Amino acid sequence: MLVHRLDRKNEMDTSLAADAADARMVARMRLVLSVSALLAIFIDPAGLRGIGSFTWLLFFGYILHSFAVYLYTQFDAPFSQSKLVHWLDVFWYALIVLFTDGIHSFFFLFFFFAILTSSFRWGFDEGARVTLVSVALFAACGVGSTTEQDLPRLLLRATFLLAFGYMSIHWGGSKVELKQRLALLRDVSRVSNPRFGV
């Protein structure tokens, strides 16, 4: 019985360590993504219309947010492994797209980061919610400023976001489901039968 408890505790520790390692890797990639976005507009500000002081402040804010999440993961704070993190990412990406040329902004690709992290971490349902909200926010960024000539671009990018998002959440959901099945098989194989003794 004591051996079973020790095995169970070791499995839980291993699972938590793997989750923490995943959270640290995602936080590092988020930080790299935020710095690369700032470098992109620093190197080529003419590539985007409407870059003002608020836009620079927005990018620096996202870098600070990414750095704060990275620090939380280093100290294994509960916030770093919550669902709120990828929802904050979606909010930041919507602001970035809105203030960097709307539907013409190439920063709409950042939504894929939130879709991937949510689906591979939390499964199909959470990934589907993030995908639908990302598409809705992207479309909302273009509603006020979209002309008739911009409509095909809006539809194409929104469809691309939806299609790629669906593929990602399908694979992410499969991964989470397989992990749950493996955990169940591990638990079932350890249940002792009282007829045969320990």
Side-chain angles (χ1 to χ4, degrees):
M1 191 68 155
L2 180 61
V3 173
H4 178 66
R5 282 187 193 156
L6 287 174
D7 284 346
R8 182 82 173 144
K9 183 181 181 313
N10 288 338
E11 285 173 14
M12 288 173 57
D13 290 344
T14 304
S15 174
L16 290 175
D19 288 345
D22 286 348
R24 280 197 280 294
M25 185 272 303
V26 168
R28 280 192 298 269
M29 291 303 104
R30 180 182 293 107
L31 191 57
V32 167
L33 191 65
S34 63
V35 171
S36 67
L38 183 68
L39 288 175
I41 62 168
F42 182 73
I43 292 170
D44 185 24
L48 293 169
R49 291 178 285 179
I51 299 291
S53 57
F54 181 76
T55 309
W56 288 101
L57 188 64
L58 184 66
F59 279 98
F60 280 114
Y62 183 55
I63 288 175
L64 287 175
H65 162 76
S66 301
F67 188 69
V69 171
Y70 176 74
L71 287 179
Y72 275 113
T73 60
Q74 294 305 309
F75 297 115
D76 291 329
F79 170 74
S80 65
Q81 296 190 29
S82 71
K83 293 180 181 181
L84 180 62
V85 175
H86 59 258
W87 285 109
L88 286 173
D89 284 340
V90 170
F91 170 74
W92 279 107
Y93 302 150
L95 283 177
I96 289 170
V97 168
L98 182 64
F99 287 102
T100 57
D101 214 10
I103 62 165
H104 299 285
S105 174
F106 56 86
F107 292 114
F108 89 97
L109 296 169
F110 282 15
F111 283 116
F112 291 125
F113 182 78
I115 292 168
L116 286 170
T117 56
S118 63
S119 60
F120 277 88
R121 175 91 176 161
W122 301 102
F124 186 87
D125 292 338
E126 187 68 15
R129 281 190 283 273
V130 170
T131 301
L132 292 175
V133 169
S134 297
V135 170
L137 285 174
F138 175 70
C141 287
V143 165
S145 61
T146 304
T147 63
E148 196 173 310
Q149 292 124 354
D150 293 335
L151 194 58
R153 177 180 296 231
L154 173 65
L155 290 174
L156 182 65
R157 286 186 171 189
T159 305
F160 179 68
L161 198 59
L162 193 61
F164 189 77
Y166 177 75
M167 288 181 357
S168 301
I169 63 176
H170 178 73
W171 288 327
S174 297
K175 179 199 172 235
V176 170
E177 191 177 307
L178 286 174
K179 280 176 70 175
Q180 291 171 345
R181 285 182 184 173
L182 282 173
L184 178 65
L185 282 173
R186 196 176 313 121
D187 289 343
V188 166
S189 67
R190 293 232 166 97
V191 173
S192 60
N193 190 335
R195 290 182 292 173
F196 302 122
V198 177

